[in-house]
Amino acid sequence: MTPINQNESSIPVKKGRVDSISIFEVTESELETLESATPTGILFDIGVSCLSVAIAFTISLATTEIENDRAFYSFLIVVVVGYLAFIAFTIIWLVTRQSVKKLTKKIRERMSPPKNTQQEEDSTE
């Protein structure tokens, strides 16, 4: 192993054999779309959190008798908002996730199909 640059700190570099590398060209707008679609996992996490809160409050409403009307309506509002937030965040997550998948598929389709190396070898003989 040899260092990359003698003037800088010596960092050993290990190199393994690679058969081929596929390089994809990406436009600026495609990069911006991918960057803006990155937090899709966060949307799903927030949706699941809203669902768990809504389920917990639903169980509380079903198993306890709440005498105070204000407390009952507060619990009911939390339940309704929790379920609606879960539905909204899940729909946004699905739409965003699909758009990222479509964009990456479009980028991958730019690659020409791999040539059959066996046919090329046969034709040269």
Side-chain angles (χ1 to χ4, degrees):
M1 289 183 269
T2 60
I4 294 174
N5 189 347
Q6 296 293 342
N7 297 336
E8 295 179 14
S9 63
S10 298
I11 300 174
V13 176
K14 294 181 181 179
K15 182 180 177 225
R17 179 161 168 74
V18 176
D19 293 335
S20 66
I21 297 176
S22 299
I23 300 173
F24 298 93
E25 294 180 356
V26 181
T27 64
E28 185 74 25
S29 64
E30 291 168 337
L31 279 177
E32 289 172 0
T33 303
L34 284 174
E35 287 174 350
S36 67
T38 302
T40 57
I42 294 171
L43 293 172
F44 183 72
D45 293 342
I46 294 171
V48 169
S49 298
C50 291
L51 178 64
S52 64
V53 168
I55 290 172
F57 275 76
T58 301
I59 292 170
S60 296
L61 280 174
T63 58
T64 60
E65 188 173 322
I66 301 174
E67 300 290 330
N68 189 351
D69 286 343
R70 247 180 153 175
F72 176 79
Y73 289 126
S74 298
F75 272 59
L76 189 61
I77 289 170
V78 170
V79 168
V80 171
V81 169
Y83 285 121
L84 291 177
F86 166 71
I87 292 169
F89 280 116
T90 303
I91 290 171
I92 294 169
W93 171 72
L94 286 172
V95 169
T96 308
R97 192 173 136 231
Q98 291 301 322
S99 66
V100 171
K101 281 187 176 183
K102 287 179 186 176
L103 181 61
T104 54
K105 182 180 177 185
K106 178 182 170 185
I107 293 170
R108 284 191 178 101
E109 287 173 349
R110 289 185 195 151
M111 179 69 71
S112 60
K115 296 178 181 175
N116 192 346
T117 55
Q118 184 71 357
Q119 288 179 351
E120 288 177 3
E121 290 174 3
D122 293 342
S123 64
T124 57
E125 293 176 0

